[in-house]
Each structure stands twice: as structure tokens, then as C-alpha cells.
Amino acid sequence: MSYARNRPEQLFLGFAAIYLILATVETAALGAPGLANALTFSGKLTGASLVLVSAVALAGAVAAGYLLTARRNPRPHQATVRRQRGLLLVCLASITVLVANLMILVAQFAVGDPTPALAVWMAFIVASAAVIAVAVARLDTRIPLPRKVAVGALVTGVLAVANFTYSQLYLPSKQEASIIATPVFGTPTKDADQGGVTVPFSVDFTVKGQGVIVLAATYDVSARLASLAGKPRSQEQLTQDVQQGLEPSATTNVAGMEPVEAGWLISPGSGYKAGEELKIDRFIRLPSPLRYDSVELDLYVDFVRADRAILPTGVNSCSDDLSRCTWEVQQASELYQRIRQPVTIDLTRDYQPQEGQFGWPEVTYNPDREAENRYGGRFAVLHTRLALTNLG
């Protein structure tokens, strides 16, 4: 005769065994990849916790199966003790699964999206609560320790959910990532054949806070067409300069800006660690005699945090001319992969020299722009100018 002496208890133990086996699969499927591949220590810690939950759930499933199939001990007292221990293990395993799925549910609502997986967490929460209620009711009231252990485990689980929310969701949201970029012009020099002027420039990059994946780091150089005015320019002419976006000058006629050169500073999809520094040297060439009195450098930088997303490395996701790139975002851990909708990032760059400037890259997050804030995407446009003096 088995420990499950009546059909209701047999049904309960059978349900508990199946539910805990499914919970073992669920938590192991989320935890093992996270433990192996998560981008952050907290993500790996979450993965390790879920693997531990799967081990506890498996132990509970074994205990339920044992009570369901094992023959009763002929000694009543020993039989009662083993039954209570088995029920307690089932209860503790169910509490562990309940806490784990509450954590996942918190993550879903806090930083996730409405996904079909939400029904899975809810189903395990409901099943866990039902098994806990029945198991506690079946624990012998004459043996107070099991009930105290169950209550203590439940309280500990609530505290674990609170700690998870703080450490996994709140703290990472407060950590910043940034790229400091400093563009500097060098000293212009005439070519040896006097056929042109070479203007060097450099850009220093420093990654701060967290590692980043650069989506776009481009530059464009424009030159100002200007000449000395024959007489001081009028207030009306100065006002027109302001309206046209030109710097007003009483002594200089400014015809406008001409695009000179544009290009990439960093290949799209390149990754850099926090604290890493990079210096890039470039130059432009202008025809001589010069028609310009100054050149201006605009720098555009766009990136995502490397601790929140995985993107294909290099330019494999881009067209041959780098005018368009598309990345499918892989989440920082398996848990986030399940609680967030698929996200793609599109980069387009359209050159428009006929409009007097080169087009800056345009980065679009799909399905919505909110994803930029989630993955820490930031952009910066920096500007510097160099006067071309003593060069003919």
C-alpha cells in the first residue's frame, strides 16, 4: 500500500509531481543559458538562482513521486514522519517555484513587454499557490516544525522578490554609459606642388561607465565660402545672415557652406569595453588657391550599451556601401529574451551634398523608439571649426 492512502491525495501528489517536473524544465531552460551567456554578473547570478530553483523543483517532484508510489512502512510512526517530510519538501519546492515565477513576473511588468510567455509565469504562480495551500493543510498539526518551516520559507521568498527587484531592475537602470568624443583640427599645410592644402584632424574616443556597441560614428566637413565686403554691411544684411543660419559679420560676405568630405570613423557594430580609449587620425584636402576662409567638422555618434544587448559584430549586417545596416537585438540574458518583444535596429545614411550638407545617420528602433532608452542608446553631435589663415 502506498503513502497516498486515498484518491484525493493520489490526485494531489500526481498533480504536484507533474507540475514540479514542468517547473524544473521551465527554470532550467531560463537559468542554464543565463548562467552561461548572460552579459552581466547580475544576469549570471539570476541564471544561477534559476538553476538552483530547478534543482529544488526536481527534488520536490521526486518526493511527490515517492509518496505516490512507495509502499507504506509497517511502523505507523515512521510512515507518518516520512509522509510529513515528503509533503514538506513538496511544499518548499512549490514555494521556491512560486518565488521564482513572481520574480519573473516582476521583471515582465518592470522592464519587459506583454508577451505570450506571461501566461506561463501566471500558470506556475497559480499552480504553486494551489499546491502550497493543499500541502500545508495536509501537514500534521501535531508536528509544528513543518508549518513553521513553510511559513519561514514563504517570508524568505517575499524578501527575495524584493531584493531581486532592487538588484536586478532598479540598480542597473541607474548605471550610465557614455562615449566622450573630442574632435581636434591640426595645422593646415600646403602640398609640395602647391596644388592644394591638407588639413589634418583627429578624434579621441573614451568609453565611460559601461561597454558600448557603436552603431554609427561618422564625420562630415564643410567649408565656408566668404570674401571681404567692399564696405561695412548693413543691419538688414546682418539680419538676413541670422535668418539663413550664417554668422553675421559687418566685414565679411558669406555665400554659404559647401560640403567637402564625409566618412565613417568607426565600423558599425564595433564593440568597446568601459575605459577603452581610441584615437583616429584623418585628413582632408582642399584645392588651392583657397575659396574658403574656414572649415567646420561635425561629429555624430550613436551607440547601445553592451551590457543590455548583443548585436552581430562588424559590418556583416550592413550593405556594401554602409548606407544601411540592420541588427536583430539579442537580449542580455535568456530571461529578458523571453519577457521582451523582438527588437531590430535600422541604420540609414543618406548623403545630400546638393542641399549643402551630408546627411547624418538615422537610427530607428523597432517596434518603437522607447527601445532606445531601454538599451541605453545615446547620440551626440559635436562641432569644431578651424580658420584657414595665411594660406593662399
Side-chain angles (χ1 to χ4, degrees), residues 177-239:
S178 64
I179 294 180
I180 298 175
T182 306
V184 178
F185 275 115
T187 302
T189 58
K190 283 188 176 182
D191 296 342
D193 60 1
Q194 305 295 310
V197 174
T198 298
V199 183
F201 69 91
S202 64
V203 182
D204 292 323
F205 292 97
T206 303
V207 180
K208 295 289 187 179
Q210 301 288 335
V212 300
I213 302 172
V214 176
L215 301 179
T218 65
Y219 71 93
D220 66 74
V221 179
S222 300
R224 191 173 83 157
L225 287 166
S227 61
L228 289 175
K231 59 182 180 179
R233 303 176 68 240
S234 66
Q235 181 63 49
E236 180 180 357
Q237 291 173 319
L238 298 179
T239 302

Side-chain angles (χ1 to χ4, degrees), residues 280-297:
I280 299 175
D281 295 305
R282 297 289 173 84
F283 64 88
I284 60 172
R285 300 190 71 245
L286 303 174
S288 182
L290 287 176
R291 299 187 301 134
Y292 314 115
D293 71 343
S294 64
V295 288
E296 299 182 5
L297 170 66

Side-chain angles (χ1 to χ4, degrees), residues 345-368:
I345 302 175
D346 291 322
L347 167 69
T348 56
R349 191 180 188 199
D350 183 21
Y351 294 93
Q352 298 176 337
Q354 70 277 10
E355 297 182 7
Q357 65 180 3
F358 293 102
W360 285 335
E362 180 180 355
V363 176
T364 304
Y365 288 78
N366 300 302
D368 54 54

Side-chain angles (χ1 to χ4, degrees), residues 4 9 42 52 57 65 73 83 95 130 145 159 163 181 183 222 243 256 268-269 299:
E9 184 154 334
S42 61
L52 181 59
N73 194 302
R83 178 175 178 274
I95 291 174
L145 181 59
L159 295 176
N163 181 70
S222 300
Q243 293 173 345
L299 180 67

